[in-house]
Amino acid sequence: MAVLPSTRSRAMLALRSGLTRALAARTLAPQVYSSFATGPRQYDGTFYEFHTYCLKPSKMNEFLENAKKYMHLRTAYSELVGFWSVEFGGQMNKVFHIWKYDNFAHQTEIRKAVAKDKEWQQIIVPNLALIDEQENEITYLVPWCKLEKPAREVHVLWWNESADSRAAGRHQSHEDPRVVAAVRESVNYLVSQQNMFLIPTPFSPLK
């Protein structure tokens, strides 16, 4: 998950989202799926709320300027993991941001506090007119993954110097039979997949 100022090489992140893994072998009868997966992560209540805003095309810059100017009012309540604008992939004029919560009780507490913050509400309410669509998702880290800030400024979801370097890396990996075998096996468990290139905003914690 990451962002870079425009003065540097424009770091792009390929973010895989909208992945759903089958909970049973395909040869079995259809199963009921749950939006909350099971597994080791249930022992840790920490989760991440993904917000996706589709903005009016003429209002993208205005929204980002307002977010940059006033985001400190919102981050006083809970941790912002990262804030990006979508460069390629899917609908344009889209921003994507991630918030961390200790558990659902923590999320509820924060929402109530933010709703009572008159200064923040005076900022956020007018900004709602700049948004066409909003989508929120609750996600958890898989057991083998962790979020941490690296020694250098660019953090990784999948980090690439450019779209061309990503394409070169993919072509190279497709020549590795181990990668090909792993991909062929993994597609058996996918219902859908979407990739997006994300560019961090200047005020994003992860660069």
Side-chain angles (χ1 to χ4, degrees):
M1 310 170 180
V3 183
L4 265 189
S6 58
T7 54
R8 305 186 178 206
S9 60
R10 302 183 72 194
M12 294 184 178
L13 299 175
L15 173 66
R16 296 181 178 179
S17 64
L19 299 181
T20 306
R21 189 172 77 176
L23 302 180
R26 292 182 300 167
T27 55
L28 299 179
Q31 303 291 311
V32 176
Y33 296 97
S34 169
S35 59
F36 294 93
T38 59
R41 62 127 171 95
Q42 287 190 323
Y43 294 108
D44 183 357
T46 300
F47 66 84
Y48 299 84
E49 188 172 26
F50 283 46
H51 294 252
T52 305
Y53 294 170
C54 297
L55 304 171
K56 298 181 186 301
S58 62
K59 301 298 184 179
M60 180 74 167
N61 290 337
E62 181 181 351
F63 181 90
L64 291 176
E65 284 299 318
N66 289 340
K68 178 181 179 181
K69 186 176 181 179
Y70 299 109
M71 187 57 65
H72 67 280
L73 298 175
R74 178 58 182 83
T75 54
Y77 291 97
S78 62
E79 180 181 348
L80 172 65
V81 176
F83 200 114
W84 302 268
S85 60
V86 175
E87 183 74 3
F88 303 113
Q91 185 175 348
M92 302 303 293
N93 301 301
K94 182 185 294 184
V95 296
F96 183 81
H97 45 115
I98 304 173
W99 298 85
K100 180 181 179 180
Y101 296 98
D102 297 335
N103 47 49
F104 284 99
H106 180 219
Q107 181 201 43
T108 300
E109 176 186 346
I110 295 302
R111 284 186 171 182
K112 289 180 178 179
V114 170
K116 295 178 181 178
D117 187 323
K118 294 182 179 180
E119 186 177 9
W120 174 250
Q121 290 304 315
Q122 288 176 349
I123 299 302
I124 195 63
V125 172
N127 272 321
L128 293 178
L130 310 181
I131 303 173
D132 275 336
E133 298 178 16
Q134 298 183 61
E135 180 179 344
N136 289 0
E137 297 177 273
I138 299 298
T139 62
Y140 296 84
L141 291 180
V142 291
W144 60 87
C145 181
K146 63 180 179 179
L147 289 177
E148 58 182 7
K149 293 188 176 181
R152 59 178 182 170
E153 292 187 3
V154 177
H155 193 72
V156 175
L157 285 179
W158 289 102
W159 181 82
N160 299 275
E161 290 285 353
S162 65
D164 288 332
S165 67
R166 175 181 180 270
R170 286 174 61 86
H171 289 317
Q172 182 178 359
S173 66
H174 290 169
E175 296 177 357
D176 188 327
R178 298 169 299 177
V179 174
V180 174
V183 170
R184 287 178 176 172
E185 175 62 22
S186 66
V187 296
N188 293 324
Y189 304 98
L190 297 181
V191 173
S192 64
Q193 175 176 322
Q194 181 182 10
N195 292 346
M196 292 186 291
F197 283 108
L198 305 178
I199 298 210
T201 58
F203 54 88
S204 177
L206 291 182
K207 302 294 185 183

